[in-house]
Amino acid sequence: MHVNDTAHTVTVDHRATVLDVLREQLDLTGSKKGCDHGQCGACTVLLEGRRANSCLLLAVAHDGAHLTTVEGLGDAEDPHPLQRAFQERDAFQCGYCTPGQIVSGVGMLCEAAEGHPSHATPDEVLQQTTGEPAELSRAEIRERMSGNLCRCGAYPHIVAALEDTSGHVGRRSGTVHPASDGGPASDRDSASDRDSASDTASAR
């Protein structure tokens, strides 16, 4: 399999999951083993550019697949914009869910850039199959990230970090666009502040 643009040849038990291979054979421990049942999202990776719970993927079924883990998005010297936004927004507490949140967030932003709707997308927008990028309201972001759980309840700051990065992540690849179409940061800050109380209430 190809992980973070590097080809790997591994020998695995037929019961091994992609998560097990990443952590135990490739020493890529950013993807966390949380619930191990596909319910918490801590193990989220990008599989062929799409979000997937690696704890539910059998490794033998993904021979030759292309995966991206949190290690492939950026590093301390050159972090991904969403990683930087998480730092700036203090969008983590214990940090255990953070890698999965960031990988899922990058995948979600790419899906929105490609115009994919969510369960929260208004009906009138669904009728417009233009392929234009989806607008990410706070309700949209919360719905699209609902597969990633945070036991610490850092949701308000996670949503704010995603708002900061919205519009700056390219389609499928997670590449960065110039930061010019997200609106003034002060406006987004005001919107975040207005909604933070309801987000906090939802997290409890």
Side-chain angles (χ1 to χ4, degrees):
M1 62 178 63
H2 303 265
V3 182
N4 302 331
D5 296 325
T6 300
H8 297 275
T9 299
V10 294
T11 301
V12 300
D13 186 286
H14 67 281
R15 297 164 295 183
T17 66
V18 168
L19 177 61
D20 292 332
V21 172
L22 291 173
R23 292 181 57 85
E24 297 174 11
Q25 296 198 40
L26 303 184
D27 200 27
L28 294 171
T29 57
S31 303
K32 304 303 183 190
K33 180 169 285 197
C35 67
D36 213 20
H37 287 79
Q39 296 179 351
C40 74
C43 65
T44 303
V45 299
L46 298 179
L47 171 62
E48 308 295 348
R50 296 296 185 197
R51 295 181 284 175
N53 292 320
S54 60
C55 72
L56 298 182
L57 305 176
L58 287 175
V60 294
H62 293 85
D63 184 19
H66 290 257
L67 299 165
T68 302
T69 69
V70 70
E71 291 93 342
L73 295 178
D75 54 34
E77 289 72 31
D78 185 22
H80 188 280
L82 186 55
Q83 292 173 313
R84 187 179 300 114
F86 263 62
Q87 290 179 317
E88 293 172 350
R89 288 291 189 173
D90 194 21
F92 52 90
Q93 291 185 30
C94 83
Y96 195 82
C97 74
T98 303
Q101 298 274 6
I102 290 175
V103 173
S104 185
V106 170
M108 180 274 285
L109 292 172
C110 293
E111 293 163 13
E114 294 174 351
H116 293 281
S118 78
H119 183 68
T121 303
D123 291 341
E124 60 271 22
V125 177
L126 281 176
Q127 295 170 5
Q128 301 174 0
T129 55
T130 62
E132 293 295 318
E135 292 188 18
L136 289 176
S137 64
R138 295 179 68 81
E140 281 272 9
I141 291 174
R142 286 193 291 265
E143 168 60 25
R144 290 171 186 266
M145 293 294 292
S146 61
N148 289 79
L149 304 181
C150 171
R151 289 185 176 89
C152 300
Y155 296 114
H157 292 187
I158 291 171
V159 172
L162 286 162
E163 284 184 312
D164 289 350
T165 316
S166 175
H168 310 315
V169 175
R171 299 183 178 203
R172 295 188 66 90
S173 63
T175 54
V176 183
H177 289 170
S180 59
D181 52 352
S186 58
D187 291 348
R188 298 197 302 277
D189 287 346
S190 298
S192 298
D193 293 342
R194 284 196 299 273
D195 291 340
S196 62
S198 61
D199 275 350
T200 302
S202 299
R204 290 175 179 167

